[in-house]
Amino acid sequence: MNPLHIGDLSPDQRAAGTSFIRLCEGIGRVLRVTMMQPRITGLEHVPITGGVLFAANHTHIVDGPMLFAVIDRPVSFYVKSEAFIGPLDPILRRLGQIPVNRGVPERAPIVAALETLSAGGAVGVFPEGSRGSGAVASVQRGIAYLAVRSGVPVVPVACVGSAKILTPHLPWRRPPVSISFGRPVQIEPGARASRPAISAAAEQIRAAMAELLSESQVDGNER
């Protein structure tokens, strides 16, 4: 595979957004209310400005686009490199999304994320590494490294019911989907990002995500 190019956008453009990003955000908001019944809580925990990391559980392919449409600021998500194919490739790059090869240590995505955070932008990561049960039994250390190096807050995100969005259903029955944002986790910054610091940060982020997801699933069952 050829080396991945991170995209055409500068860190400042990722942070502030572009006219194309704003157009796609608007389209996303329309689709949000036509394809599901969103129950969004905790938006007060999302910083309006400044660098921030979003750490979300991942159970379905729609999680990323859904959060892109819900969060009211541009977000550059880590997206698997396999998605950057055909007509999707230029669209994802113009949206400021960051391609990553899962399971392969790469410098370029880390630098792109750190530069975006330094410019006051938002970066979204699915720390479990791939789609699964969403139980957050463990998280990969990439987001912990970004948190330690940047010192920005990490906002946990819990998505419950997103798999129902693409499930065939009657057109007038929009599936309920719960999206919860938790209190920001502040990781102790460190220029060297030692292994103990990264391990401690990873566990801190995992625990915050698991707690929020557990609370969201209970609330969802009560509805």
Side-chain angles (χ1 to χ4, degrees):
M1 180 177 293
N2 293 328
L4 288 170
H5 298 290
I6 295 304
D8 299 329
L9 301 187
S10 68
D12 288 336
Q13 288 175 314
R14 287 197 187 92
T18 64
S19 57
F20 182 74
I21 289 176
R22 286 187 283 273
L23 171 63
C24 291
E25 287 175 336
I27 294 173
R29 293 187 184 98
V30 172
L31 294 175
R32 184 182 78 192
V33 298
T34 57
M35 296 182 66
M36 63 180 179
Q37 300 179 56
R39 178 178 180 268
I40 305 170
T41 59
L43 279 175
E44 68 274 11
H45 299 314
V46 177
I48 299 175
T49 60
V52 61
L53 280 162
F54 291 98
N57 69 305
H58 196 20
T59 60
H60 199 272
I61 192 172
V62 301
D63 291 331
M66 181 177 66
L67 291 177
F68 182 85
V70 167
I71 300 172
D72 194 21
R73 59 180 295 183
V75 183
S76 296
F77 284 94
Y78 271 2
V79 179
K80 64 180 181 179
S81 60
E82 295 92 330
F84 288 76
I85 58 173
L88 268 181
D89 180 81
I91 293 175
L92 290 173
R93 294 182 190 280
R94 290 185 64 189
L95 287 174
Q97 308 307 290
I98 302 174
V100 293
N101 281 310
R102 292 177 296 182
V104 179
E106 295 181 293
R107 183 174 181 272
I110 294 175
V111 171
L114 288 175
E115 289 180 344
T116 300
L117 295 170
S118 179
V123 173
V125 181
F126 297 103
E128 293 169 285
S130 61
R131 295 196 303 273
S133 66
V136 199
S138 64
V139 301
Q140 296 188 348
R141 295 188 175 188
I143 190 171
Y145 179 85
L146 294 176
V148 172
R149 281 291 309 274
S150 66
V152 303
V154 181
V155 176
V157 187
C159 303
V160 178
S162 55
K164 301 175 185 177
I165 294 177
L166 298 183
T167 301
H169 56 273
L170 296 177
W172 58 87
R173 294 186 61 186
R174 295 173 297 142
V177 177
S178 172
I179 306 163
S180 303
F181 297 88
R183 294 182 181 277
V185 176
Q186 190 63 59
I187 304 297
E188 184 69 26
R192 294 188 59 187
S194 65
R195 286 190 177 183
I198 293 173
S199 295
E203 175 55 26
Q204 195 174 347
I205 294 169
R206 186 208 66 78
M209 292 176 63
E211 180 180 5
L212 179 64
L213 181 60
S214 178
E215 294 173 353
S216 300
Q217 289 173 333
V218 169
D219 291 343
N221 290 334
E222 290 177 347
R223 286 188 293 139

